[in-house]
Amino acid sequence: MKRLENKVALVTGSTRGIGRAICQRLAEEGAAVAVVGRSPETVEKIAQELRDAGFNARGYAADVAKSEDAKATVAKVVADFGRLDILVNNAGITKDNLMLRMSEEEWDAVMNVNLKGTFNFTQAAVRPMMKQRSGKIVNLASVVGRMGNVGQANYAASKAGVIALTKTTAKEFASRNIQCNAVAPGFVMTDMTAALSDDVRAMFLKVIPAGRAGSPEDIAGVVAFLASGDADYVTGQVINIDGGMLM
């Protein structure tokens, strides 16, 4: 029996990169997957690809920054699948700039998606999880949220907020058998990092003891563990997935 068999997982920001890899891994582990993203066409495309591979998946379009979208999406998932066991808050954006040049719009956009979006979906998902008296929430933080980074005041602050939100959620819902943890990826090869120059990539690789960048699949594997019964006694934790970069 696969360790996530008969479980239902909702993954935000799941149409590419880390989110897409998480959907794939959770499906391989036996979960039915709700693919959530902003574009109706794209979420349905990813869901169809999963169905074509023999998995149970549906697409849901939502803006994570809108509380009403989060509540409506969770309600649809529960109506369609009958329950919700796993929430992965993966949706995130960057709008990098030096602090002196960062606009209010750049600050607000990143905070609204990365931090408020995580709060919105967590608040919506814990309700059915409380009724079931079981649930797993995995939030995507970042090593940048633990160490800061030049030109990323908004992103670093949002991810530090995700870490604090993770710990608070874990404390508030532990008695209801709901575990909440976070993973903090380091330098991972995605569409976002692929746009960096060779010099910048080389700079990152110099400070990674493992000597390589991470892959979306590296992140997905740890998320799958935290979403499973193997992590029933793990809550309020932040696991760095960074090849040893931040020890």
Side-chain angles (χ1 to χ4, degrees), residues 155-173:
Y155 186 76
S158 72
K159 293 302 187 178
V162 166
I163 290 172
L165 179 60
T166 296
K167 293 177 181 291
T168 300
T169 303
K171 288 186 175 182
E172 289 193 6
F173 296 101

Side-chain angles (χ1 to χ4, degrees), residues 19-36:
R20 176 67 179 84
I22 291 171
C23 285
Q24 180 73 29
R25 181 59 183 267
L26 297 185
E28 290 172 354
E29 295 275 3
V33 179
V35 179
V36 178

Side-chain angles (χ1 to χ4, degrees), residues 26-85:
L26 297 185
E28 290 172 354
E29 295 275 3
V33 179
V35 179
V36 178
R38 294 193 68 170
S39 165
E41 295 79 13
T42 307
V43 294
E44 184 50 40
K45 175 178 178 289
I46 300 301
Q48 186 61 55
E49 289 174 359
L50 289 169
R51 290 194 294 269
D52 290 344
F55 302 121
N56 188 2
R58 295 193 185 194
Y60 301 85
D63 181 349
V64 299
K66 295 179 179 178
S67 176
E68 60 270 25
D69 277 22
K71 291 173 183 174
T73 301
V74 168
K76 287 177 189 174
V77 171
V78 172
D80 289 342
F81 292 102
R83 58 189 296 115
L84 176 60
D85 303 284

Side-chain angles (χ1 to χ4, degrees), residues 50-128:
L50 289 169
R51 290 194 294 269
D52 290 344
F55 302 121
N56 188 2
R58 295 193 185 194
Y60 301 85
D63 181 349
V64 299
K66 295 179 179 178
S67 176
E68 60 270 25
D69 277 22
K71 291 173 183 174
T73 301
V74 168
K76 287 177 189 174
V77 171
V78 172
D80 289 342
F81 292 102
R83 58 189 296 115
L84 176 60
D85 303 284
I86 300 158
L87 168 66
V88 182
N89 284 304
N90 170 74
I93 62 171
T94 58
K95 289 188 179 293
D96 297 348
N97 214 338
L98 293 173
M99 192 181 298
L100 286 174
R101 298 175 184 167
M102 186 171 289
S103 67
E104 184 177 357
E105 290 75 20
E106 288 169 333
W107 174 271
D108 288 347
V110 171
M111 296 298 286
N112 283 340
V113 172
N114 298 5
L115 182 53
K116 186 182 176 187
T118 298
F119 168 78
N120 285 341
F121 266 85
T122 298
Q123 187 182 57
V126 291
R127 298 184 187 280

